[in-house]
Amino acid sequence: MNKASKTPHTPAAPQGRVAAARERESAVAVEERMYQDVYDAIMEHRLPPRTKLTEQTLCQIYDTARHTVRKVLSRLASEGMVDLEANRGAFIASPSHAEVRDMFELRNILEHAVLEKVGREAGTRQIAGLRRMVEEERQSYLSGDRPRWIRLSAQFHLALAELTGNALLVDTLRKLVSRTTLMIAKTEAPGHNACSFDEHETVLQALENGDVEAAQQHMAHHLHLCEDRVRPDADDQFDLRAVLGKGI
C-alpha cells in the first residue's frame, strides 16, 4: 500500500507579513504624531478653547482614516483636553468658571496629600531631580521658549505626584492639570507666570528643609494664583491646517 502523499505546509508569504507589520507601525506613528501635535497646540494655546477639531480636516492633514482620528480624539477626551459632543463633534475643552473652581479645589486636596507622602518618603536624590526640572523651566522661560516652559510647568506637578508611587493618583491629577492649564490666559504680564518656577522653587525648598506643612501652604498659594490667572480666551476661529499642517 502506498502511503498517502502529504502536501507540504506552505507558510504565508513573508513579504505579506512584513508589509502588514509596516502598515501597522505606520498607523501607530501617525496616531502618535497627531496626538502629540494636537496636545502641544492646546497646551501652547495655539488652539484655544472651543476650537472645533473636524474629523475630515484631520484626516486630510495626516492622510489617515477616520478611525485613527477618532482614537486620538477619544484619548484626548479621556485626558480632559477635548470635549466630545453628540451630533456636533469634538471641541477643545472649555470648562465653565464653576468647573475651573471645582477642579482647582480638587487639585489643592490631591496635591496637599501628595506633599504629605512625598515629604515623608522622598529622598534627596528625588528632590534634586525636581529641582533640575524647575531650573529647566526657568531657563525655557528666560530664553523665550514658551512651549517648553508651559510643558515643564505642568509636568512639575505630575513628576511630584509620581514620587508617591500611586498610578491612579497620577492619572487623576494629569487630567486636572491638563484641563486647568489649557484655561490659563494665552499671554501673561511680566511677573505673572501661568505656573511660576519661583513658586515651584518655594515648594521644593520647604521639602528640602523637612517642613511639609510649609510646602503645603506654598502649594496652596501657588494653585490659588494659578486659578486667579484663568481668563476667558477670545472666541477666535482657527484654521486647523494653519496650526497642525506645517511639516506634514
Side-chain angles (χ1 to χ4, degrees), residues 84-194:
L84 301 178
E85 301 181 9
N87 302 319
R88 299 196 65 233
F91 298 82
I92 305 300
S94 180
S96 67
H97 287 292
E99 184 183 353
V100 169
R101 183 182 62 248
D102 289 346
M103 287 190 296
F104 272 108
E105 182 179 2
L106 182 53
R107 278 190 64 179
N108 198 24
I109 292 170
L110 292 176
E111 299 198 51
H112 183 95
V114 164
L115 289 170
E116 181 70 36
K117 187 170 185 181
V118 171
R120 292 196 314 266
E121 302 176 0
T124 304
R125 185 176 179 181
Q126 292 169 311
I127 300 298
L130 290 171
R131 187 171 288 284
R132 286 193 295 272
M133 178 178 287
V134 171
E135 184 56 32
E136 290 178 22
E137 183 187 346
R138 183 193 305 277
Q139 291 305 317
S140 297
Y141 179 81
L142 294 177
S143 66
D145 189 348
R146 182 176 175 84
R148 179 171 171 77
W149 165 58
I150 292 174
R151 192 177 299 109
L152 288 169
S153 183
Q155 287 177 353
F156 170 81
H157 294 269
L158 300 178
L160 194 58
E162 285 170 355
L163 295 183
T164 67
N166 188 319
L168 182 58
L169 188 155
V170 174
D171 287 343
T172 302
L173 194 58
R174 178 176 288 108
K175 181 172 182 177
L176 291 168
V177 169
S178 297
R179 202 166 173 87
T180 50
T181 299
L182 68 85
M183 290 302 293
I184 300 296
K186 288 188 293 184
T187 57
E188 296 290 337
H192 292 80
N193 308 336

